[in-house]
Amino acid sequence: MILPLLVFLCGVTGLLSLFVGSSEVAVFTGLTDWLLGRDSVSALVMGEIRLPRTLLALTVGAALGLSGAALQGLLRNPLADPGLTGASQGAALGAAAVFYFGIFPQAGAVAPALAGLLGAGLAMLLMLLLAGSARQSMVIMAGLAISTLTGALLAAVLNFAPNPYAMQELVFWLLGSVAERGLEHLQLLLPALLLGGLLIFTQRKLLYGLSLGEQVATSLGLSVQTGGRLIILGAALLVGTSVAVAGAIGFVGLIVPHLLRPFIGNRPDRLLAPSALAGAILVCLADMLVRLLPPGQELKLGVLTSLIGAPLFIALVWKERKRWL
Amino acid sequence: MALIELKNVALDRRLQALDLDLQPGELVGLIGPNGAGKSSLLNLLAGVEQGSGEILWQGQKLSSWSLETRARKIGYLPQRCQSAWALSVRDVISLGRLPWGDENLEKILCAAQQTGVEDWLDLAVDQLSGGEQARVWLARVLAGEPQLLLADEPLASLDLFYQYQILALLRRYAQGERAVLVSMHDLAIAAASCDRLCLLHQGQIQALGSPQQVLQKEHLRAVYQVEVELDLEVHPPRLAVLGPSQCP
């Protein structure tokens, strides 16, 4: 029952998002003009600013929500965060390399995203090599180790910033935002969302079976090791690309699955699609809120989601703590 | 023909050169002290761990089967079970249908009725007591209708009434083409309910046969280092531990 409702809400949020901005624009005329290739101010605003921003917010949110649901299911831990794969920090390091060393100059505005994707991929590869064929819980340790390594490298890069502007640019980028990005970013994000989503959705049975532990899942004929690696790969792809495109947007992957769990009877396999949709709605709503705030220094989307997410996270830890007392 | 036959099966240092068979319609009890290899043997048969040697299922090599086919034939109830999520009892039982790729309501309900958990189908499993949960985990295995049911100490957290009920259920289950291999610590219960017993000691089979053949003072002295008083002729059989055996 919750899935159709979320699809509807996602559509409504996306549509509403097109109406929110600093200037008054005829939304539908602008969209039609842009689609038909007519030159007009509203076509420019819709095609270059609001549509890419809305679509990016939706896809980034979907990617984060889905990866969170998948990782929490795999690790059987409601506090698991998609950043655990090391992919987020890897992506940040990749993007930092662009700001400082100017790699991929031919890619233009997409360069940080491309380098971020590369960084995420490398970090993920290292993490998988380090975790080896050991139990899934090792993934947390390996992810933490790689995150620490990439975090240290990122700190070193910041330490030796060539000039304050490069540093400021990087720091703002790391705060997370879907503003000032174009449809070319969507071309990076959408295939990753589809492929990562596909990898995770093929392992739905495994997520369900793992509810009772790895022993039971194996005895139910599920390939825990291979399936687990596919889920991590899919999640890292989703998180890495999201961070590469939009910077760090925290807590979405952690909180969204948790909020939805009671509505789907706590089944990890039924949590995937609703989490993707709710993640999309949440990030899009948060971005609308960012745009609705008074003009001036813009509050970054990642900062807002963290400000909202952190108290929820604290409440979650509190509740979990009481459960185990 | 044996339902399942183990030939020279070994698992690192935990199991060594095991030869064992289970016939259709048999309830075989796996007994032995802690660390004897009972759980390892069940893990191996369930496919949770890979060992060496040959396991034949009605004459066919088990290793040639897909994981799914194996899971349809062999159901496994591990010693410790816990649900990571507050799943409903219905969802836990329907996990048993995973190898079949369906959530057959009739079979789920039937498994719930067999274990007496049908009134709690919509309750979250973590709201139940340990003994109640133990019956739900067993219902999950029954829902898959395996031909061979492996249960690792299924009586451990049950009160006397449900110990009796679950044993009677396993006894009924081991009929026709089906067989049950169950590990347990209570030797008197094992003697009363099992067709055959397999006494494990340090990863090897110390004795295999009818309760009368296996539960002999010298076997128990060698394995458990205790002196016992046995009377297997009465019903139910009586077994009392007199004290630790004297070192020779």
Side-chain angles (χ1 to χ4, degrees):
Chain A
M1 263 316 282
I2 193 166
L3 203 61
L5 179 71
L6 286 171
V7 171
F8 173 72
L9 285 177
C10 192
V12 172
T13 315
L15 198 64
L16 276 178
S17 163
L18 294 177
F19 285 88
V20 179
S22 53
S23 51
E24 289 282 325
V25 179
V27 171
F28 294 111
T29 323
L31 271 181
T32 334
D33 284 353
W34 176 72
L35 281 173
L36 296 174
R38 286 191 213 127
D39 274 340
S40 72
V41 178
S42 38
L44 193 72
V45 171
M46 293 317 294
E48 297 294 320
I49 302 172
R50 289 200 197 162
L51 189 64
R53 189 166 179 161
T54 300
L55 290 177
L56 271 178
L58 290 172
T59 20
V60 165
L64 292 175
L66 178 57
S67 60
L71 280 178
Q72 290 182 4
L74 177 69
L75 301 173
R76 281 173 285 140
N77 186 342
L79 303 179
D81 183 82
L84 282 178
T85 53
S88 317
Q89 291 277 16
L93 184 64
V98 170
F99 288 114
Y100 285 7
F101 308 119
I103 57 169
F104 301 143
Q106 60 278 30
V110 196
L114 264 182
L117 195 56
L118 202 67
L122 275 175
M124 187 184 73
L125 201 68
L126 275 175
M127 188 273 290
L128 284 178
L129 281 175
L130 186 61
S133 58
R135 305 170 67 87
Q136 310 292 0
S137 52
M138 269 312 286
V139 168
I140 297 186
M141 295 306 291
L144 188 65
I146 299 302
S147 287
T148 314
L149 175 71
T150 43
L153 290 173
L154 189 62
V157 171
L158 280 170
N159 194 141
F160 295 109
N163 59 65
Y165 302 108
M167 186 149 148
Q168 193 185 21
E169 204 177 354
L170 174 65
V171 170
F172 271 137
W173 184 86
L174 284 177
L175 292 179
S177 171
V178 285
E180 291 156 30
R181 282 151 176 86
L183 285 175
E184 66 273 19
H185 284 98
L186 204 64
Q187 285 172 2
L188 272 179
L189 194 51
L190 214 51
L193 179 66
L194 290 178
L195 185 61
L198 195 71
L199 282 175
I200 289 170
F201 271 93
T202 53
Q203 300 303 317
R204 267 175 311 169
K205 269 169 88 172
L206 176 62
L207 289 174
Y208 186 25
L210 276 174
S211 303
L212 297 190
E214 290 179 25
Q215 263 193 344
V216 171
T218 311
S219 76
L220 286 170
L222 298 163
S223 174
V224 175
Q225 209 172 73
T226 318
R229 293 292 174 265
L230 289 178
I231 292 173
I232 293 167
L233 196 70
L237 198 61
L238 294 174
V239 183
T241 335
S242 303
V243 176
V245 167
I249 295 174
F251 289 103
V252 177
L254 183 74
I255 295 296
V256 162
H258 187 76
L259 292 177
L260 288 174
R261 219 166 257 128
F263 297 100
I264 44 94
N266 292 298
R267 274 184 59 164
D269 55 329
R270 292 192 181 151
L271 190 60
L272 299 174
S275 287
L277 288 165
I281 295 169
L282 187 72
V283 172
C284 196
L285 279 177
D287 188 51
M288 280 159 69
L289 189 61
V290 165
R291 280 179 271 163
L292 285 170
L293 289 174
Q297 180 71 287
E298 187 181 281
L299 178 68
K300 295 286 180 190
L301 177 60
V303 180
L304 182 69
T305 56
S306 297
L307 284 174
I308 300 172
L312 281 172
F313 185 43
I314 291 172
L316 182 57
V317 173
W318 184 258
K319 207 171 122 196
E320 282 292 313
R321 194 189 79 151
K322 278 208 274 196
R323 202 179 135 193
W324 297 109
L325 273 180
Chain B
M1 185 187 281
L3 184 65
I4 196 161
E5 199 176 354
L6 281 72
K7 288 183 176 170
N8 198 26
V9 162
L11 177 66
D12 45 61
R13 289 167 61 190
R14 288 173 285 168
L15 296 174
Q16 293 155 31
L18 290 191
D19 290 311
L20 178 68
D21 66 284
L22 258 86
Q23 302 297 326
E26 243 188 345
L27 172 62
V28 176
L30 208 50
I31 53 173
N34 296 327
K38 303 186 294 293
S39 298
S40 300
L41 176 57
L42 293 174
N43 274 340
L44 192 84
L45 286 171
V48 174
E49 291 187 85
Q50 307 298 324
S52 61
E54 206 172 47
I55 305 178
L56 299 175
W57 179 277
Q58 292 177 331
Q60 284 184 346
K61 274 190 182 177
L62 200 61
S63 55
S64 63
W65 287 3
S66 73
L67 293 175
E68 205 165 63
T69 315
R70 184 181 178 136
R72 286 182 184 185
K73 302 270 189 193
I74 303 177
Y76 177 42
L77 178 66
Q79 196 173 350
R80 273 179 292 274
C81 222
Q82 199 190 8
S83 177
W85 315 108
L87 294 179
S88 69
V89 169
R90 184 193 312 274
D91 282 337
V92 171
I93 300 176
S94 84
L95 270 167
R97 299 299 304 165
L98 264 187
W100 301 93
D102 65 31
E103 292 190 17
N104 190 318
L105 283 178
E106 202 180 311
K107 294 194 163 143
I108 291 169
L109 193 64
C110 176
Q113 281 166 344
Q114 281 178 302
T115 50
V117 301
E118 73 272 23
D119 291 338
W120 310 327
L121 284 176
D122 294 315
L123 290 184
V125 72
D126 60 354
Q127 288 173 9
L128 304 178
S129 74
E132 291 167 343
Q133 285 184 11
R135 283 146 61 197
V136 176
W137 309 138
L138 178 61
R140 190 268 301 167
V141 183
L142 294 178
E145 298 184 328
Q147 229 176 314
L148 172 62
L149 196 158
L150 309 168
D152 200 353
E153 296 189 29
L155 309 178
S157 53
L158 297 177
D159 61 32
L160 290 175
F161 175 74
Y162 275 106
Q163 280 192 10
Y164 174 80
Q165 291 281 322
I166 295 301
L167 268 176
L169 170 67
L170 292 177
R171 184 66 268 177
R172 280 197 307 276
Y173 197 81
Q175 275 177 15
E177 287 299 299
R178 298 186 301 222
V180 174
L181 180 61
V182 55
S183 78
M184 51 176 85
H185 274 299
D186 191 317
L187 302 183
I189 292 182
S193 51
C194 298
D195 299 310
R196 280 195 301 155
L197 295 179
C198 172
L199 176 61
L200 282 177
H201 181 45
Q202 294 175 348
Q204 290 176 312
I205 294 178
Q206 177 82 21
L208 174 67
S210 68
Q212 286 77 9
Q213 289 169 323
V214 172
L215 295 180
Q216 294 185 3
K217 286 180 182 176
E218 52 274 28
H219 286 151
L220 300 181
R221 190 181 303 128
V223 171
Y224 291 97
Q225 277 98 45
V226 289
E227 293 297 332
V228 293
E229 193 176 82
L230 283 161
D231 188 356
L232 300 179
E233 300 307 317
V234 295
H235 187 80
R238 277 191 330 105
L239 187 146
V241 179
L242 300 175
S245 60
Q246 301 299 317
C247 293

